[in-house]
């Protein structure tokens, strides 16, 4: 198991290196950052000073080494905030992590319940209702759902506060968590329904029924555990996606999350923060995938990691 | 061409396309979706005829009127006031929401379809090469796919638009297309892997066909089913992506309307003008839903396992 984990982490290194390279290339393609950092009309010597200060006058390989070295040692600073990149990213990540975990929790509970019920009574009215809800759920823009929930529960009913997030006040996270949670619920409900129906048609479920188990026990005890592998995969990719892709919801709900930090960095050409953020995303992605792979072995003993 | 399902269903005189059509016709949701898509395309093409007002016209004194307003107003440059109806209300700049939504359909649909074509071209090419040739080429291309997939798509698209000086229509569909090919590449690759072991490929090779010919005439046609389905589904995804980018101000620029941009304008007016936030969003949901339902219908119709 340990060698498996180590090997996977080693395999992830080229992907991480690729991400840093692609990111660096995009940054270089996006032109001279001093144009935005100093302003369009700044005199040349001001820009020259900025270039010197952040070593932008050095050759590209040296710049790349400076970035990577600074990220590893934790000394790399943001161009615009002059704070360590790691500190800024962790601050954003602490908000986003709460958001992502809350949303995943909502989605797993609601999605699995809906999927199990749909598989238990396929083609019933509730199954059709769940299918319709799930179809709408995957077609709805997250930021618009957030707007509508804010409009209803924040403005009309006044149940939840609107406006900027204040640390330590979980009620500010309710609407964004509900937004992302409901959208992810749609995905999990769809998938768990089809996976459950597929495993319900397998021989071992027929055997379970034949030996006199009730339909509920055949479903929950025999079909469900075997349908879990693809479901866990989707939960994993969604958790990674929620950690990284929540920029629109964070914008709508004025949350200072990770997506927001990096979005601002892209707009202000804050290269160290962008690079650090990309590396952070890649790390989250690799670690979540690894966790999912380890879970496979737990869920399905036939899958072994040598 | 999608011979797999047709081969199992031996209806006399029925070609694969006719089988597909017959199966689609039985799927009511997919049919409704197709009608919605057709209506949207007609609205987008004929926006100048269907829209009651011009998208950029600002009507004096008619700022932020609720849906169903009819009032005397004049455009700048007009001398006489005229009675005008604003079915879905007006925005902060006194422009007609319904007209702006109809013009906005042009942006959503064209970006959604063009970005999908870019993704399809990239994804199919990479998937074909990767699956057919295998080896180090496969390894390299799949690592590339993993890398792009690991990026959060919205932020990658934002970064690509930042490379260009000014956000524009071209930049948006190009960025979305560059982001969205990974899923297509993976599916095409796995399809190629299963197709290339079949006997008729060996037969084609024995007849002296080159790699290019085999790929184009023998492998690709057998991957068309999944490609069509994924393409349809990714139109919806790209429309969502375009809405998101426009919402962040990176899409089509004012005064030209886009649904995402209209929603961005609605922020801060929740209390006094709910209609600004509601109608453009409904348009996005309806459009994306139509493409998703039609894609689902196509998938069911092409899937030999759903035989009845």
């Amino acid at each position: 198991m340990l060698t498996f984990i180590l090997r996977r982490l080693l395999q992830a290194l080229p992907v991480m290196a690729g991400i840093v390279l692609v990111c660096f290339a995009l940054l270089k393609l996006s032109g001279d950052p001093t144009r935005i950092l100093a302003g369009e009309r700044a005199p040349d010597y001001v820009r020259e000073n900025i270039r010197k200060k952040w070593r932008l006058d050095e050759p590209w390989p040296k710049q790349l080494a400076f970035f990577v070295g600074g990220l590893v040692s934790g000394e790399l600073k943001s161009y615009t905030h002059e704070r360590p990149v790691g500190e800024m990213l962790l601050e954003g990540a602490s908000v986003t992590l709460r958001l992502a975990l809350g949303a995943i929790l909502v989605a797993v509970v609601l999605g699995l319940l809906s999927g199990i019920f749909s598989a238990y009574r396929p083609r019933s009215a509730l199954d059709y209702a769940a299918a319709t809800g799930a179809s709408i759920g995957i077609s709805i823009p997250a930021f618009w759902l957030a707007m509508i929930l804010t409009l209803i529960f924040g403005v009309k009913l006044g149940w939840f506060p609107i406006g900027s997030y204040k640390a330590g006040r979980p009620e500010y996270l309710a609407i964004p968590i509900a937004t992302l949670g409901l959208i992810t619920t749609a995905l999990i409900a769809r998938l768990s329904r089809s996976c459950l129906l597929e495993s319900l048609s397998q021989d071992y479920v027929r055997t379970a029924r034949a030996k006199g188990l009730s339909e509920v026990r055949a479903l929950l005890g025999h079909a469900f555990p075997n349908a879990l592998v693809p479901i866990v995969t989707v939960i994993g990719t969604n958790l990674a996606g929620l950690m990284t892709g929540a920029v629109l919801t964070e914008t709508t709900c004025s949350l200072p999350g990770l997506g927001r930090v990096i979005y601002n960095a892209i707009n202000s050409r804050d290269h160290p923060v962008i690079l650090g953020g990309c590396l952070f995303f890649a790390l989250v992605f690799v670690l979540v995938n690894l966790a999912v792979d380890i879970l496979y072995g737990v869920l399905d003993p036939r899958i072994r990691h040598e | 061409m999608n011979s797999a399902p047709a081969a199992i269903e031996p209806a006399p005189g029925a070609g694969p396309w006719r089988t597909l059509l017959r199966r689609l016709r039985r799927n009511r949701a997919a049919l409704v979706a197709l009608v919605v898509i057709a209506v949207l395309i007609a609205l987008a093409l004929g926006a100048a005829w269907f829209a009651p007002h011009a998208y950029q016209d600002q009507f004096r004194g008619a700022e932020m009127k609720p849906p169903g307003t009819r009032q005397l107003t004049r455009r700048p440059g007009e001398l006489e006031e005229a009675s005008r109806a604003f079915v879905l209300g007006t925005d902060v700049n006194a422009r007609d929401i319904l007209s702006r939504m109809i013009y906005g359909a042009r942006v959503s649909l064209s970006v959604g379809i063009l970005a999908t074509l870019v993704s399809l071209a990239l994804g199919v090419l990479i998937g074909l090469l990767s699956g057919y040739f295998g080896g180090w080429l496969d390894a390299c291309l799949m690592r590339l796919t993993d890398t792009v997939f690991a990026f959060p798509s919205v932020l990658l698209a934002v970064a690509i638009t930042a490379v260009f000086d000014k956000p524009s229509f071209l930049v948006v569909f190009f960025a979305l297309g560059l982001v969205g090919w990974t899923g297509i590449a993976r599916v095409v690759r796995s399809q190629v892997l299963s197709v290339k072991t079949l006997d008729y490929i060996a037969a084609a090779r024995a007849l002296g066909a080159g790699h290019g010919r085999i790929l184009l005439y023998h492998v690709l046609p057998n991957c068309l089913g999944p490609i069509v389905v994924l393409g349809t589904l990714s139109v919806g995804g790209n429309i969502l992506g375009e809405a998101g980018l426009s919402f962040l101000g990176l899409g089509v620029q004012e005064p030209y309307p886009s649904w995402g941009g209209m929603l961005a304008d609605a922020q801060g007016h929740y209390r006094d003008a709910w209609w600004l936030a509601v109608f453009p969003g409904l348009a996005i949901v309806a459009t994306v839903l139509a493409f998703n339902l039609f894609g689902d219908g196509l998938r069911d119709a092409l899937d030999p396992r759903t035989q009845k």
Side-chain angles (χ1 to χ4, degrees):
Chain A
M1 190 55 143
L2 201 65
T3 50
F4 165 73
I5 295 176
L6 278 177
R7 206 181 59 217
R8 281 291 304 267
L9 288 177
L10 275 179
Q11 279 174 350
L13 280 178
V15 173
M16 310 268 279
I19 283 175
V20 170
L21 272 178
V22 169
C23 210
F24 186 73
L26 269 179
L27 292 182
K28 288 297 140 194
L29 274 174
S30 67
D32 185 0
T34 60
R35 226 181 38 198
I36 310 268
L37 289 170
E40 200 75 57
R41 288 195 202 84
D44 280 342
Y45 73 90
V46 175
R47 291 200 194 177
E48 207 47 57
N49 280 343
I50 295 180
R51 264 186 221 121
K52 278 237 166 57
K53 183 175 178 191
W54 301 116
R55 302 200 192 183
L56 287 165
D57 47 355
E58 291 181 17
W60 288 7
K62 271 195 169 171
Q63 290 185 34
L64 184 61
F66 169 66
F67 278 133
V68 175
L71 281 173
V72 171
S73 67
E75 279 164 10
L76 190 64
K77 280 190 178 156
S78 149
Y79 288 165
T80 47
H81 298 276
E82 310 237 347
R83 291 171 53 200
V85 170
E87 200 181 293
M88 288 175 65
L89 291 176
L90 284 180
E91 225 172 75
S94 77
V95 177
T96 306
L97 186 67
R98 275 162 230 227
L99 179 60
L101 287 179
I104 274 293
L105 190 70
V106 171
V108 168
V109 171
L110 291 180
L112 282 183
L113 278 179
S114 153
I116 289 172
F117 187 86
S118 292
Y120 179 58
R121 288 264 180 275
R123 292 169 190 278
S124 67
L126 260 167
D127 178 29
Y128 281 120
T132 312
S135 292
I136 295 173
I138 60 164
S139 309
I140 212 166
F143 66 91
W144 184 63
L145 184 58
M147 288 173 86
I148 294 301
L149 291 178
T150 309
L151 194 62
I152 297 173
F153 296 103
V155 176
K156 297 275 178 218
L157 298 173
W159 291 357
F160 298 104
I162 44 179
S164 310
Y165 172 77
K166 294 179 184 60
R169 298 274 300 278
E171 62 269 30
Y172 279 91
L173 285 172
I175 287 176
I177 283 179
T179 301
L180 295 173
L182 286 175
I183 282 173
T184 317
T185 300
L187 289 168
I188 294 182
R190 267 187 151 207
L191 184 82
S192 54
R193 177 184 186 271
S194 65
C195 288
L196 277 172
L197 281 179
E198 181 143 349
S199 64
L200 274 178
S201 66
Q202 302 285 323
D203 287 343
Y204 56 81
V205 176
R206 199 178 48 198
T207 312
R209 285 185 186 131
K211 72 182 185 189
L213 282 190
S214 70
E215 192 59 23
V216 176
R217 287 198 56 186
L219 182 72
L220 293 182
H222 293 253
F224 184 66
N226 285 287
L228 267 179
V229 167
I231 296 174
V232 165
T233 315
V234 162
I235 293 174
T237 20
N238 273 294
L239 185 63
L242 285 172
M243 273 306 287
T244 58
V247 56
L248 287 164
T249 313
E250 287 173 3
T251 305
T252 323
C253 300
S254 346
L255 288 180
L258 195 57
R260 209 50 218 165
V261 169
I262 299 189
Y263 174 70
N264 290 337
I266 292 175
N267 277 342
S268 56
R269 304 293 191 276
D270 198 339
H271 290 183
V273 179
I274 303 175
L275 261 177
C278 285
L279 202 62
F280 187 84
F281 286 152
L283 200 65
V284 169
F285 191 78
V286 167
L287 289 181
V288 168
N289 276 332
L290 181 61
V292 165
D293 277 351
I294 293 172
L295 262 181
Y296 283 168
V298 178
L299 294 172
D300 187 346
R302 283 172 304 183
I303 301 174
R304 287 241 173 72
H305 308 296
E306 266 97 41
Chain B
M1 283 203 192
N2 301 290
S3 48
I8 302 166
E9 205 168 42
W17 289 108
R18 216 180 288 167
T19 316
L20 177 68
L21 277 181
R22 203 181 52 238
R23 289 160 144 246
L24 262 182
R25 224 177 303 159
R26 277 193 235 123
N27 186 335
R28 206 174 301 153
L31 278 185
V32 172
L34 192 59
V35 171
V36 171
I37 293 171
V39 168
L40 281 165
I41 290 176
L43 279 175
L45 289 176
W49 289 310
F50 293 112
H53 305 288
Y55 62 83
Q56 76 280 36
D57 275 355
Q58 304 183 339
F59 295 95
R60 193 147 299 180
E63 285 88 7
M64 294 217 283
K65 294 293 174 204
T69 300
R70 174 176 273 283
Q71 77 171 72
L72 283 171
T73 174
R74 63 184 181 87
R75 284 179 295 197
E78 273 182 343
L79 295 173
E80 297 277 313
E81 286 193 329
S83 172
R84 293 195 167 93
F86 303 106
V87 179
L88 296 183
T90 57
D91 68 4
V92 190
N93 296 316
R95 296 174 298 196
D96 181 44
I97 303 252
L98 176 63
S99 308
R100 289 180 68 72
M101 276 170 59
I102 292 174
Y103 277 95
R106 288 186 168 178
V107 177
S108 285
L109 289 177
S110 48
V111 170
I113 292 167
L114 289 173
T116 300
L117 291 181
V118 173
S119 297
L120 278 178
L122 274 172
V124 168
L125 184 71
I126 289 176
L128 278 180
L129 294 178
S130 192
Y132 184 75
F133 290 108
W136 63 268
L137 186 67
D138 180 36
C140 288
L141 290 176
M142 281 301 109
R143 287 299 83 74
L144 178 71
T145 312
D146 290 345
T147 308
V148 175
F149 185 74
F151 270 107
S153 54
V154 178
L155 284 174
L156 182 55
V158 169
I160 294 173
T161 52
V163 171
F164 298 89
D165 263 345
K166 271 207 186 93
S168 74
F169 176 80
L170 279 172
V171 172
V172 173
F173 89 72
F174 184 65
L176 289 171
L178 277 185
V179 171
W181 56 270
T182 51
I184 297 168
R186 283 181 180 172
V187 171
V188 171
R189 174 177 176 271
S190 64
Q191 187 79 7
V192 173
L193 284 179
S194 71
V195 165
K196 79 170 179 184
T197 58
L198 297 179
D199 285 342
Y200 75 93
I201 300 288
R205 192 167 299 134
L207 284 172
H211 290 311
R213 190 179 172 82
I214 293 179
L215 273 175
L216 210 57
Y217 292 103
H218 301 284
V219 177
L220 186 59
N222 266 285
C223 304
L224 269 186
I227 291 173
V228 169
V229 171
L230 276 177
T232 315
L233 291 173
S234 79
V235 172
N238 282 324
I239 291 175
L240 284 180
E242 186 275 331
L245 287 180
S246 297
F247 181 72
L248 292 173
L250 299 172
V252 183
Q253 297 297 298
E254 285 277 311
Y256 206 88
S258 67
W259 295 340
M262 294 175 76
L263 287 176
D265 292 344
Q267 283 198 299
H269 297 289
Y270 292 151
R271 238 168 257 284
D272 37 2
W274 55 267
W275 55 93
L276 296 181
V278 170
F279 297 120
L282 285 178
I284 298 174
V285 176
T287 311
V288 178
L289 188 61
F291 277 102
N292 283 345
L293 287 179
F294 186 62
D296 286 347
L298 273 180
R299 185 181 48 209
D300 291 346
L302 286 169
D303 186 355
R305 284 184 304 176
T306 54
Q307 291 282 332
K308 271 180 211 117

